Amino acid sequence: MSNAAKFGKVAVLFGGKSAERAVSLDSGQAVLDALLRSGVQAEAFDPQDRSVTELVGYDRAFIVLHGRGGEDGQIQGVLEWLNIPYTGTGVQGSAIGMDKVKTKQIWQGSDLPTAPYRIITKDTDLDPVIAELGLPVIIKPVHEGSSVGMSKVEKAEDFAAAIEKATQHDAVVMAEKWITGREFTISFLNGQPLPVIRLQPPADVAFYDYEAKYQRNDVEYGIPCGLTEAEEKSLQALCLRAFQAVGAEGWGRIDAMQDEQGNFWLLEVNTVPGMTSHSLVPKAAQAVGYNFDQLCVAILEQTLAKSA
């Protein structure tokens, strides 16, 4: 397939050292297999096992490193330094997107609706936090993805355990107002929003957690998402503004909620979303006619503009 020759030799970066290594291994293998089926000269590259200096032997890189080291601007900076075109968001947008608080601050400064939050530690006086955010809240590590280290807290006495769990993953922890309502995810391809997906975890799950994301088969994914056409267009436009505000580009995903009054709230941005059989970007792309192999090639094609 001569068409694939235009990519040259491609490093599929996956694995790494983050808390999301296991998911990255699944995602990366799926992407690697798809590119190989499409005739691309692609090779696995796990930065945990190899020095990043070895990337000089490649023409471009497909980043499927989830979490720290891969989604936070670090590997993007290495690739910029080596002058190797890569998929997805650049250094600054990646660094912002990996930091839930910085993301929220930019969204707030851009007049975009995001759930209220407070940065907390085990020594924080919780009374004003509860007074401001109410209960329940969700406790999150600020620099992790895949719902790692997250807990729903419904009673004041449960804060300590939730903070302890989150601090095992991150020195910075936030409490975010719990929004009761419907959860949606909006994927992007070539910088444009794909059809909205509604996430419906089973009733025994408090929120769309790590297990629901990667291990269960009873999560419902609604396409169409159940919103009116006008609501869906409004949510897509809101998320596009949010995606651009943090400097995200190419492909990615934003998670959002609709509260019981019908208002939308932005939760977070994912600049290197999952690419497993359970993942959301492939489901959204499929709804507009991309099979998995075509999706991977389309994402890789974004690197051609960077090298032009």
Side-chain angles (χ1 to χ4, degrees):
M1 295 174 67
S2 58
N3 196 31
K6 63 189 175 187
F7 296 118
K9 192 174 170 187
V10 178
V12 181
L13 287 153
F14 62 102
K17 300 176 183 175
S18 84
E20 297 176 74
R21 175 176 171 80
V23 181
S24 178
L25 289 170
D26 284 351
S27 285
Q29 190 62 53
V31 169
L32 177 63
D33 292 344
L35 294 178
L36 291 172
R37 283 193 298 268
S38 303
V40 176
Q41 187 187 353
E43 294 180 4
F45 194 107
D46 186 344
Q48 179 173 281
D49 302 333
R50 297 173 66 182
S51 167
V52 291
T53 58
E54 293 180 48
L55 286 166
V56 294
Y58 294 88
D59 296 300
R60 62 200 68 247
F62 194 125
I63 300 173
V64 210
L65 285 165
H66 304 316
R68 292 187 225 195
E71 208 166 346
D72 58 2
Q74 289 188 45
I75 197 69
Q76 290 80 4
V78 169
L79 292 163
E80 293 275 355
W81 185 257
L82 298 175
N83 204 24
I84 298 168
Y86 56 89
T87 53
T89 297
V91 176
Q92 185 180 44
S94 298
I96 292 167
M98 193 67 207
D99 187 318
K100 295 182 178 71
V101 170
K102 292 285 187 291
T103 297
K104 280 179 170 290
Q105 288 169 339
I106 285 173
W107 285 345
Q108 288 171 330
S110 306
D111 209 21
L112 295 165
T114 185
Y117 72 97
R118 289 278 297 273
I119 295 174
I120 58 172
T121 70
K122 64 181 189 308
D123 301 318
T124 299
D125 180 0
L126 295 174
D127 291 339
V129 175
I130 294 169
E132 181 182 343
L133 301 179
L135 286 171
V137 297
I138 188 154
I139 306 297
K140 300 178 176 181
V142 169
H143 305 96
E144 285 292 354
S146 290
S147 304
V148 169
M150 283 168 43
S151 307
K152 181 182 181 181
V153 171
E154 303 193 43
K155 304 191 295 290
E157 56 264 33
D158 295 336
F159 265 92
I163 293 169
E164 176 64 29
K165 177 180 175 181
T167 50
Q168 289 171 10
H169 299 280
D170 197 351
V172 189
V173 175
M174 65 191 272
E176 184 179 69
K177 180 181 176 71
W178 182 268
I179 295 170
T180 300
R182 298 192 290 175
E183 184 169 356
F184 298 95
T185 191
I186 300 82
S187 300
F188 293 84
L189 182 61
N190 299 324
Q192 293 302 309
L194 294 171
V196 176
I197 300 178
R198 182 181 176 195
L199 306 175
Q200 289 182 273
D204 63 331
V205 175
F207 59 93
Y208 189 53
D209 61 6
Y210 185 93
E211 184 187 356
K213 280 178 173 155
Y214 302 114
Q215 293 159 353
R216 295 182 66 135
N217 292 310
D218 52 359
V219 178
E220 291 181 28
Y221 303 98
I223 309 177
C225 64
L227 294 170
T228 66
E229 187 179 354
E231 282 180 317
E232 180 163 9
K233 281 193 161 60
S234 169
L235 180 56
Q236 286 173 316
L238 171 69
C239 290
L240 180 58
R241 285 175 58 207
F243 194 71
Q244 293 170 339
V246 297
E249 56 187 297
W251 75 295
R253 214 184 75 229
I254 283 182
D255 300 328
M257 295 288 298
Q258 184 185 39
D259 67 22
E260 291 169 318
Q261 288 72 48
N263 304 304
F264 290 119
W265 297 92
L266 299 161
L267 296 180
E268 58 185 85
V269 61
N270 297 277
T271 54
V272 185
M275 290 288 278
T276 69
S277 58
H278 279 61
S279 297
L280 299 161
V281 174
K283 292 179 193 295
Q286 189 175 12
V288 291
Y290 286 86
N291 66 32
F292 188 78
D293 293 8
Q294 291 166 333
L295 170 63
C296 292
V297 171
I299 293 169
L300 184 60
E301 278 178 339
Q302 296 164 6
T303 63
L304 296 172
K306 294 185 180 183
S307 56

